[in-house]
Amino acid sequence: MMETRITARKNPLLQQVRKLLSSRKEREETGLFVADGTKLLQEAVRYCQGLDTVILSDGVDVELPEQVKCIRVPEDVMASISPMQTPQGALFLCRIPEKKAFYPQKGILLLDGIQDPGNLGTILRTADALDIPVALLEGCADPYSHKTVRASMGAVFRREPVQTTWQEASCAFREAGIDIGVTALSDRAQDIRQTDLKQMAVVIGSEGQGVRREILESANAQLIIPMNPHCESLNAAVAATIVMWQMTNR
């Protein structure tokens, strides 16, 4: 494996890394995203078909595939581009996979407007662990932001995130004869323990607003996670985890 050394902080590659870390538009236009950390890099080496370029600090060694470009930089240069307060000494660029077609199926979780990358990454990590299919609707955080990738602990490498629109998804479920349930705080909502979630698609709404009204009004069922009356709601990632566990537990 050939290494290239970079010492200038204004090197074009390092400037591109900064843009990719800060801009979803840049990621979408270039088809590249950046992740950080030696543990995530090991996951990418094992599972990511699009691993392209690895940037390592002096003294950090990782076994890489022959086709992957390796860039070596001093620690101060790594600190200038790393999004971490305490860099682990590894940043890497991956190609964003081609968009996967949405396929309607029972027992799938739909995410509507999950905007916090930490919540999104945690949901993707849990879905990977429980083998639950997930699709992202409009308004969700970028699954390829470094914060989402880190929170997913490499799940985005093992399962490529599926993104679709509510219009596409609702038409597909209708044609397939699959009911849609939405989590909601309402008197009409059914206890998820009394519902066979494996037989439907379930929508989890955004952290602040919940499921969009148009989805709520067109759903076949409203669902609620039982909790103490004095508790208003749950964190989106926690709610999604409970729903996914119930999907596997009936």
Side-chain angles (χ1 to χ4, degrees):
M1 178 187 64
M2 294 291 293
E3 286 189 2
T4 300
R5 185 167 182 82
I6 292 177
T7 58
R9 298 188 182 190
K10 293 186 178 180
N11 178 276
L13 173 63
L14 303 189
Q15 291 181 325
Q16 182 186 36
V17 168
R18 295 185 183 97
K19 290 181 181 178
L20 291 170
L21 285 168
S22 62
S23 171
R24 182 172 189 168
K25 181 180 179 182
E26 183 74 15
R27 293 189 289 271
E28 292 174 345
E29 289 181 349
T30 61
L32 293 169
F33 68 97
V34 178
D36 63 275
T38 52
K39 171 64 176 175
L40 275 180
L41 177 55
Q42 291 171 357
E43 292 296 299
V45 168
R46 292 181 63 187
Y47 298 107
C48 181
Q49 299 299 313
L51 181 60
D52 184 272
T53 302
V54 174
I55 304 172
L56 298 175
S57 292
D58 290 335
V60 176
D61 294 311
V62 179
E63 189 171 338
L64 301 173
E66 285 296 323
Q67 72 275 12
V68 174
K69 297 186 285 289
C70 182
I71 309 297
R72 184 69 66 173
V73 299
E75 289 186 6
D76 65 308
V77 174
M78 176 62 74
S80 74
I81 58 174
S82 174
M84 301 292 289
Q85 188 171 2
T86 306
Q88 294 183 16
L91 280 174
F92 53 99
L93 282 71
C94 300
R95 293 184 296 277
I96 297 175
E98 290 187 12
K99 184 179 178 180
K100 294 179 65 175
F102 174 73
Y103 175 73
Q105 55 188 304
K106 297 177 180 178
I108 187 174
L109 188 72
L110 302 176
L111 305 180
D112 179 42
I114 302 296
Q115 298 176 349
D116 183 273
N119 280 339
L120 178 57
T122 299
I123 293 170
L124 295 176
R125 178 183 182 183
T126 306
D128 181 45
L130 298 179
D131 198 25
I132 299 293
V134 176
L136 282 59
L137 301 177
E138 301 95 325
C140 284
D142 184 1
Y144 295 109
S145 78
H146 69 278
K147 292 180 180 179
T148 304
V149 175
R150 187 189 310 132
S152 82
M153 290 299 291
V156 297
F157 305 137
R158 297 184 290 271
R159 283 176 173 244
E160 296 174 12
V162 176
Q163 301 180 69
T164 186
T165 64
W166 170 242
Q167 182 178 7
E168 179 185 25
S170 59
C171 290
F173 286 125
R174 192 180 308 116
E175 292 177 1
I178 298 173
D179 286 346
I180 299 172
V182 299
T183 53
L185 296 172
S186 76
D187 295 335
R188 296 168 45 201
Q190 307 168 23
D191 188 324
I192 63 168
R193 297 171 298 180
Q194 309 303 321
T195 308
D196 190 355
L197 302 186
K198 282 185 178 180
Q199 299 303 311
M200 62 172 56
V202 180
V203 185
I204 294 285
S206 69
E207 295 86 353
Q209 304 299 320
V211 176
R212 276 177 286 162
R213 179 167 294 278
E214 64 174 309
I215 299 178
L216 191 64
E217 291 177 348
S218 60
N220 301 98
Q222 295 184 20
L223 307 169
I224 192 167
I225 298 170
M227 64 184 82
N228 279 329
H230 62 261
C231 294
E232 182 179 338
S233 63
L234 291 171
N235 169 275
V238 173
T241 297
I242 293 171
V243 168
M244 287 188 284
W245 175 251
Q246 187 63 25
M247 284 177 166
T248 68
N249 203 34
R250 186 178 175 87

